Structure formats: C-alpha cells, structure tokens
Amino acid sequence: MPHVLVRDLPEPVHRRLAQKAARSGTSLQQYLTGALTELADQPTVDDVLDRIDERSGGRVGLRTAPSDLDEARGARP
C-alpha cells in the first residue's frame, strides 16, 4: 500500500487532527486515511459539470448557458 508523508505540518494543525482522531476513537493514521478517502471520493466542480453535460434532453450546454443568457438579455428591446 502506498505511503504519504506530509512535511512541515504546523504543530497546531497536527494537534487538532490528533484530538479529532482521539474523539473518534481511532489512531491519527486511521483518521487521516478516512479523511483522505472522503476527499479523494468527492467530485470536483468540473467532474459534476462534465456529468451534467453528458446527460441528454437539454437544449443549452451548461458551460455556455451564462453567455447565451447574457446575449439573449442584450437583445431585448
């Protein structure tokens, strides 16, 4: 299994993470593994936008919608 080394972690940050791990009843390593897994599983905004773009049924692409709306608003009398 790969390893991760975090250098120059400020002491107050380490202390807070260790306290959170202790409150959750896990070791710091187990706590950080869970937190990093959650972080890795969260989709980015681009991931979400790409999934939306892949869906069918719409007439306007999500990425172009703001500029299309601005253009349409500018065309109003």
Side-chain angles (χ1 to χ4, degrees):
M1 189 174 291
H3 292 66
V4 174
L5 173 66
V6 178
R7 295 186 187 274
D8 302 321
L9 185 67
E11 180 60 36
V13 173
H14 180 271
R15 185 173 37 258
R16 288 193 308 268
L17 290 169
Q19 289 169 346
K20 288 182 176 191
R23 282 194 298 267
S24 69
T26 63
S27 69
L28 181 56
Q29 180 177 334
Q30 291 169 322
Y31 181 81
L32 291 175
T33 297
L36 290 172
T37 300
E38 286 181 23
L39 179 63
D41 289 344
Q42 287 179 345
T44 65
V45 171
D46 285 335
D47 293 337
V48 172
L49 292 176
D50 288 342
R51 283 193 300 218
I52 291 170
D53 280 343
E54 291 170 3
R55 295 181 181 175
S56 62
R59 294 181 302 159
V60 178
L62 183 62
R63 293 182 194 273
T64 61
S67 61
D68 290 346
L69 285 172
D70 288 342
E71 185 179 311
R73 289 178 181 145
R76 290 183 186 168

